[in-house]
Amino acid sequence: HPAFTVDNDFLMFVSDMPGGFGGKDLWYVSYDSKEDAFGSPVNFGPNVNSAGDEMFPNMRYDGALVYSSTGNGGMGGLDVFQATPGKGSMKFEKAVAMPYPINSSSDDHSLIYADNEDRGIFTSSRPGGKGKDDLYSFSLPEMEFNAFLEVGTDGQEPKT
């Protein structure tokens, strides 16, 4: 399951080579386009990989890593996880399972975002489809935030 990062500087892939955390792990190699050469494989580490199988890596336009896993907890089978970028190149915060309806009790995988958008497609074997694995489209809801101010009666600035 190879996929390039958004900037094309790294190739992400799945392997069960020695040095992993479980069955299949996510790894990456640097890519030098001028030399047309790849570096040595590096494991994504425990914030991404588990004792289960990690598969189908992809990178969102904002640098978040999206993939599927049979480990790390979830709703059942393969679940879609997302890890936000951490400090340093190819470092990520602890991955979080995406909520229902992206994940279900069936196998959910291969999520791909449309360029610079909060919509895309993924594959699922959930009941009600046309076959074993079906494509589903999604659009994430727009987030709405409200700030509440506590207005002081003593002439001081309002507190948030």
Side-chain angles (χ1 to χ4, degrees):
H1 311 143
F4 275 100
T5 56
V6 174
D7 58 12
N8 290 322
D9 287 344
F10 298 92
L11 176 68
M12 305 175 291
F13 64 96
V14 175
S15 178
D16 62 356
M17 73 174 85
F21 289 85
K24 296 177 182 83
D25 277 8
L26 297 186
W27 299 75
Y28 65 90
V29 292
S30 60
Y31 176 67
D32 185 336
S33 59
K34 292 178 185 171
E35 298 293 324
D36 194 28
F38 292 96
S40 298
V42 178
N43 189 287
F44 271 96
N47 282 351
V48 171
N49 291 307
S50 71
D53 290 329
E54 280 69 44
M55 298 180 276
F56 308 107
N58 203 333
M59 190 164 280
R60 191 175 179 193
Y61 63 89
D62 62 2
L65 176 64
V66 180
Y67 64 98
S68 291
S69 176
T70 61
N72 287 329
M75 297 182 76
L78 277 170
D79 289 303
V80 178
F81 285 79
Q82 186 165 301
T84 58
K87 294 181 181 178
S89 180
M90 296 303 284
K91 302 293 182 205
F92 293 88
E93 300 295 326
K94 181 74 175 160
V96 176
M98 296 191 75
Y100 177 85
I102 298 291
N103 280 320
S104 69
S105 60
S106 299
D107 286 337
D108 306 296
H109 56 91
S110 305
L111 188 141
I112 299 172
Y113 283 96
D115 289 341
N116 297 323
E117 296 186 39
D118 288 333
R119 63 181 185 85
I121 59 171
F122 66 98
T123 303
S124 181
S125 63
R126 62 188 65 195
K130 302 279 185 194
K132 184 174 181 335
D133 285 329
D134 296 298
L135 290 177
Y136 292 84
S137 64
F138 70 94
S139 292
L140 297 178
E142 188 172 320
M143 301 293 279
E144 183 176 315
F145 296 94
N146 295 307
F148 297 95
L149 299 176
E150 180 182 314
V151 180
T153 57
D154 57 0
Q156 299 293 321
E157 291 288 322
K159 298 175 187 173
T160 58

